């Protein structure tokens, strides 16, 4: 058996399809984000502007967050020393969970090492708690939700993206006595569209189903205190389980769920992804707690973030570029071909010192390959001007189509 040949073939297929993914080595420098230093393969260095990061609000360099992290390192050292069940629960973890429960108006919160693990562990554990559970999952849910639903061994139904009528049909077709849960997202990160939260909650009430919402691309950025789209729309009380991340708007690392005391206690007690994983380092937990607390009182950052996104979308639309605009902070520009997308990304980096990672299948469907820009409050007019100018020039250079209205 020639395993090396099989690996060569698998990698060659990615190259042939134009969707082989490459890493670039960048060094973020405190106080200078979104600017960073790129180290090329030949060892030379180049200053670049990052336009595809998930540090949506620049909190990864916020002095309040860094100070909390330094204090925790000095006080507690580097690692947590164990799983949450065996010596790895510290005052820093409890403080962070309390901040998160308060953020979402829930009785409890439960920390995980990432939002991916939080989704996977929770959704794969729920059928153990509710025998016969049927999970209804939006077809465009994140890979972590898909994996959790797939692994749980229970019944699942996939409804068409944001199609409430299709969801209703699926719910109505199943045994009324069967326990049910609807899993969906508040913002779908590749197109930037919003989930119909209220309509799904109405269906959940009608059919006696639990609700599970992923607010990963919304926490910190929407709502009066940054609890997400559900807070903005005053619907948090109607959601049973809320999933969020600490690695995007909060600028740190980790994921969590917020729910009732009983729900968090049950997941804590039954989910292998929680039980057998070393807990977050105390310094990470301390920094995240500081970030969550800070953003509860910083609506101006959310306003600046939305303004920057609106400005960028308006300017790219003015060039006739095919962007998707659903009113969120996500700015996708559709290229539609993996080779062209990679070429645009490479030229942006090499010729204009702008870093935007190409987004290809399986992250998005074939034929919808794109560049996905994530403006933030620290992307100022200078950075925006440079990006818009570069995209205008490259779109012409590659002879890509523009909207007729811009001609």
């Amino acid at each position: 058996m020639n395993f090396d040949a099989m690996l060569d073939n698998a990698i060659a297929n990615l190259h042939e399809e134009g969707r082989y993914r490459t890493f670039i080595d960048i060094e973020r420098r405190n106080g200078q984000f979104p600017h960073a230093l790129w180290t090329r393969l030949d060892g030379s260095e180049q200053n670049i502007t990052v336009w595809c990061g998930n540090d949506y609000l620049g909190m990864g360099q916020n002095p309040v967050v860094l100070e909390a992290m330094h204090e925790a390192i000095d006080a507690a050292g580097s690692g947590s020393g164990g799983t949450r069940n065996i010596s790895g629960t510290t005052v820093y973890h409890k403080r962070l969970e309390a901040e998160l429960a308060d953020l979402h108006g829930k009785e409890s919160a439960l920390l995980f090492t990432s939002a991916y693990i939080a989704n996977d562990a929770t959704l794969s554990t729920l059928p153990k708690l509710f025998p016969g559970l049927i999970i209804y999952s939006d077809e465009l849910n994140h890979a972590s939700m898909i994996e959790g639903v797939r692994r749980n061994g229970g019944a699942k139904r996939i409804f068409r993206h944001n199609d409430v009528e299709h969801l209703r049909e699926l719910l109505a077709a199943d045994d009324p006595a069967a326990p049910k849960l609807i899993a969906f997202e508040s913002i779908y990160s590749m197109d930037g569209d919003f989930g119909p939260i209220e309509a799904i909650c109405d269906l959940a009430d009608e059919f006696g189903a639990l609700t599970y919402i992923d607010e990963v691309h919304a926490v910190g950025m929407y709502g009066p205190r940054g609890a997400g789209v559900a807070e903005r729309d005053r619907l948090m009380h109607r959601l049973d389980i809320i999933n969020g991340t600490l690695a995007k708007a909060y600028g740190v690392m980790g994921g969590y769920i917020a729910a009732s005391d009983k729900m968090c206690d049950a997941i804590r007690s039954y989910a292998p992804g929680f039980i057998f994983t070393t807990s977050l380092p105390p310094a990470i937990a301390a920094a995240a707690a500081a970030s969550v607390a800070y953003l509860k009182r910083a609506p101006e950052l959310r306003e600046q973030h939305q303004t920057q996104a609106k400005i960028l979308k308006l300017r790219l639309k003015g060039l006739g570029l095919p962007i998707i605009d659903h009113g969120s902070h996500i700015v996708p520009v559709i290229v539609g071909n993996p080779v062209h997308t990679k070429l645009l990304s490479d030229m942006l980096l090499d010729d204009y010192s702008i870093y935007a990672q190409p987004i290809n299948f399986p992250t998005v469907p074939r034929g919808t390959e794109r560049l996905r820009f994530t403006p933030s409050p620290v992307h100022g007019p200078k950075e925006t001007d440079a990006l818009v100018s570069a995209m205008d020039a490259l779109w012409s250079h590659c002879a890509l189509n523009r909207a007729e209205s811009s001609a």
Side-chain angles (χ1 to χ4, degrees):
M1 187 69 67
N2 191 338
F3 292 106
D4 282 344
M6 293 179 181
L7 292 174
D8 288 340
N9 183 61
I11 298 299
N13 287 340
L14 294 178
H15 281 289
E16 185 177 339
E17 294 176 27
R19 60 186 185 93
Y20 178 76
R21 302 179 185 215
T22 57
F23 296 152
I24 76 165
D25 297 334
I26 64 172
E27 181 181 344
R28 285 166 54 107
R29 293 184 167 178
N30 183 29
Q32 297 181 26
F33 189 74
H35 303 289
L37 190 67
W38 169 38
T39 302
R40 296 172 178 267
L41 291 177
D42 63 7
S44 62
E45 296 180 336
Q46 181 175 330
N47 289 309
I48 62 170
T49 303
V50 178
W51 271 99
C52 58
N54 281 337
D55 188 358
Y56 287 129
L57 301 179
M59 291 300 291
Q61 62 185 5
N62 185 287
V64 171
V65 176
L66 301 185
E67 182 181 0
M69 180 174 277
H70 280 296
E71 289 178 354
I73 289 175
D74 291 341
S78 58
S80 68
T83 65
R84 288 293 299 275
N85 289 321
I86 306 176
S87 83
T89 294
T90 70
V91 293
Y92 301 99
H93 298 88
K94 300 304 291 184
R95 287 172 189 165
L96 175 52
E97 287 174 336
E99 282 284 0
L100 293 168
D102 171 76
L103 175 69
H104 292 290
K106 299 298 182 186
E107 293 176 339
S108 292
L110 191 64
L111 276 175
F112 294 81
T113 50
S114 73
Y116 187 108
I117 299 299
N119 272 333
D120 185 10
T122 302
L123 288 168
S124 63
T125 298
L126 287 170
K128 300 176 185 176
L129 307 175
F130 307 108
L133 179 70
I134 303 171
I135 295 183
Y136 303 79
S137 178
D138 188 290
E139 66 177 343
L140 293 189
N141 277 343
H142 189 265
S144 58
M145 301 175 76
I146 294 171
E147 183 65 12
V149 172
R150 184 190 68 80
R151 287 198 314 106
N152 68 30
K156 64 177 183 292
R157 311 282 186 261
I158 309 302
F159 61 93
R160 291 186 293 270
H161 179 52
N162 281 351
D163 190 334
V164 177
E165 286 309 310
H166 187 218
L167 174 58
R168 169 184 284 280
E169 292 173 9
L170 295 174
L171 287 162
D174 282 320
D175 181 357
K180 301 174 177 67
L181 178 139
I182 305 169
F184 64 108
E185 299 185 38
S186 63
I187 297 179
Y188 292 84
S189 64
M190 288 301 116
D191 284 355
D193 55 329
F194 294 89
I197 302 175
E198 186 170 21
I200 287 178
C201 288
D202 288 344
L203 279 182
D205 289 346
E206 181 180 347
F207 289 92
L210 295 170
T211 49
Y212 184 106
I213 190 170
D214 180 309
E215 287 256 38
V216 160
H217 287 275
V219 289
M221 296 172 283
Y222 293 81
R225 299 200 307 158
V229 179
E231 182 192 32
R232 182 197 70 180
D233 296 346
R234 300 181 179 181
L235 295 168
M236 282 197 301
H237 63 288
R238 302 187 65 186
L239 296 158
D240 295 295
I241 305 174
I242 298 174
N243 169 276
T245 184
L246 303 165
K248 292 182 170 59
Y250 293 115
V252 193
M253 177 189 174
Y256 63 90
I257 60 167
S260 67
D261 281 334
K262 289 181 181 180
M263 183 69 76
C264 288
D265 191 27
I267 297 298
R268 176 188 72 82
S269 302
Y270 280 87
F274 178 87
I275 295 170
F276 298 105
T277 299
T278 298
S279 65
L280 289 170
I284 295 292
S291 186
V292 172
Y294 182 93
L295 286 178
K296 287 177 181 177
R297 307 184 301 274
E300 68 281 357
L301 271 182
R302 286 183 278 282
E303 293 167 5
Q304 292 170 23
H305 184 223
Q306 292 295 321
T307 297
Q308 288 300 101
K310 289 175 183 175
I311 290 171
L312 180 60
K313 284 187 281 190
L314 281 172
R315 295 192 62 182
L316 292 177
K317 284 180 184 177
L319 298 177
L321 302 193
I323 82 164
I324 300 175
D325 184 5
H326 289 289
S328 73
H329 61 283
I330 305 292
V331 187
V333 179
I334 302 299
V335 181
N337 177 287
V339 175
H340 291 164
T341 307
K342 180 66 165 63
L343 182 63
L344 279 171
S345 174
D346 289 345
M347 289 190 294
L348 277 171
L349 187 60
D350 291 329
D351 301 336
Y352 296 92
S353 298
I354 291 171
Y355 175 37
Q357 185 76 5
I359 307 294
N360 295 322
F361 178 84
T363 307
V364 295
R366 298 181 195 275
T368 69
E369 292 83 4
R370 66 197 64 184
L371 296 174
R372 176 180 170 273
F373 300 108
T374 53
S376 75
V378 293
H379 287 89
K382 180 180 177 182
E383 288 79 13
T384 302
D385 288 345
L387 174 62
V388 171
S389 176
M391 288 294 287
D392 189 19
L394 289 178
W395 219 257
S396 297
H397 176 77
C398 296
L400 296 170
N401 291 331
R402 301 185 191 236
E404 292 182 5
S405 61
S406 68

